[in-house]
Amino acid sequence: MAREFATKRMFNGAPRPTHQAIYGELRERILFGDFEPGGSVTLQGVADELGVSLTPVREAVRRLIAGGALQFHDNRRISLPAMTEPLLEEIYAVRAVTEPELARRAADHATREDVERLVTLDFALDEAIAKGDVKGYLRANYDFHFGLYGLSDSRVFLPIVENLWLQFGPCLRVACHRFGTSGFSDQHKQAIAALRSGDAEAARHAVAEDIEQGHLFVLDDLRRDGGVAD
């Protein structure tokens, strides 16, 4: 299983180092599924499940802890950090600067083919909403945003935003599962229209509005839950 796990995750046509593959796997679980706020797992349990040794698991977990996505406990267990309202507001304050800027820069680089790829991703998101598919929605939403942000050619803002989503994503996932997909709204089509017309300021504004909507959605859920997402 260890060999299968390592070789099935490719990078530029070649197998990625095991710790990088594990890092990617854990990111997926944080964003889209298996790590639940309030729950914890052992490093050994992760290693056993993936069929690898402890060393690459420790390396991958260390990166995620440094980025604020996981926390380590004395009993060698890891968990998602609890979300508080002040922390959520701080994350949003940084997102409100970085993500609209990435969209603004993307408008300067986007080709017609790039825009059509975003249209396809947004269509997948709309389908997931219509089906009530929360996991599909979360995946499509992530793919849309980072498909857009990846067009920015940014080497500074993009890693920051990736870390912020690892902290924000689990709370969004919990809120979406609690309320379902009915009534979801976004500004993706406005962002696409802005890219089509090459209007960088309109792209910036659309993403600013979009992330504010998401922030308020999670903030409302956090307040209903007593101020802390455990």
Side-chain angles (χ1 to χ4, degrees):
M1 184 175 177
R3 287 192 299 272
E4 182 181 36
F5 173 80
T7 56
K8 279 193 174 181
R9 287 151 176 82
M10 310 293 284
F11 181 75
N12 289 339
R16 288 190 290 176
T18 304
H19 70 91
Q20 290 187 15
I22 293 169
Y23 175 79
E25 178 75 15
L26 294 180
R27 284 183 83 260
E28 292 275 314
R29 295 183 182 206
I30 290 167
L31 286 165
F32 306 120
D34 298 328
F35 275 107
E36 294 295 336
S40 65
V41 296
T42 64
L43 295 180
Q44 187 63 59
V46 173
D48 291 345
E49 182 181 350
L50 298 178
V52 297
S53 70
L54 268 174
T55 299
V57 172
R58 286 195 191 100
E59 292 181 33
V61 166
R62 190 178 297 116
R63 288 180 62 189
L64 290 163
I65 291 172
L70 291 175
Q71 62 182 1
F72 185 74
H73 304 278
D74 291 340
N75 56 1
R76 295 189 178 183
R77 301 185 75 86
I78 54 173
S79 67
L80 297 177
M83 181 58 70
T84 63
E85 188 171 330
L87 178 58
L88 183 66
E89 293 287 1
E90 187 173 353
I91 290 170
Y92 172 67
V94 182
R95 292 184 67 209
V97 173
T98 53
E99 294 184 46
E101 175 62 16
L102 286 170
R104 186 190 69 78
R105 291 172 179 239
D108 293 332
H109 297 281
T111 65
R112 181 178 301 176
E113 291 76 15
D114 293 330
V115 174
E116 292 310 311
R117 279 193 291 271
L118 291 174
V119 169
T120 300
L121 292 171
D122 190 49
F123 179 76
L125 186 148
D126 289 342
E127 281 197 320
I129 292 174
K131 293 176 182 176
D133 179 3
V134 171
K135 190 168 185 177
Y137 165 81
L138 292 167
R139 164 68 70 180
N141 186 57
Y142 180 90
D143 288 346
F144 178 88
H145 277 269
F146 283 90
L148 171 61
Y149 301 158
L151 302 176
S152 67
D153 200 29
S154 170
R155 298 172 60 185
V156 176
F157 287 109
L158 195 54
I160 294 171
V161 171
E162 287 172 344
N163 277 336
L164 292 173
W165 273 62
L166 282 171
Q167 296 177 64
F168 172 78
C171 299
L172 176 62
R173 174 162 50 85
V174 169
C176 288
H177 277 290
R178 187 168 295 171
F179 295 110
T181 61
S182 61
F184 279 5
S185 62
D186 57 55
Q187 300 291 314
H188 294 180
K189 291 175 177 58
Q190 289 85 340
I192 288 169
L195 263 61
R196 276 205 172 108
S197 63
D199 189 336
E201 181 57 28
R204 187 202 66 77
H205 179 74
V207 167
E209 290 286 319
D210 186 73
I211 65 171
E212 182 182 22
Q213 288 176 2
H215 168 70
L216 293 175
F217 176 67
V218 172
L219 179 61
D220 182 60
D221 181 59
L222 194 64
R223 287 173 172 170
R224 292 187 188 194
D225 203 36
V228 178
D230 295 322

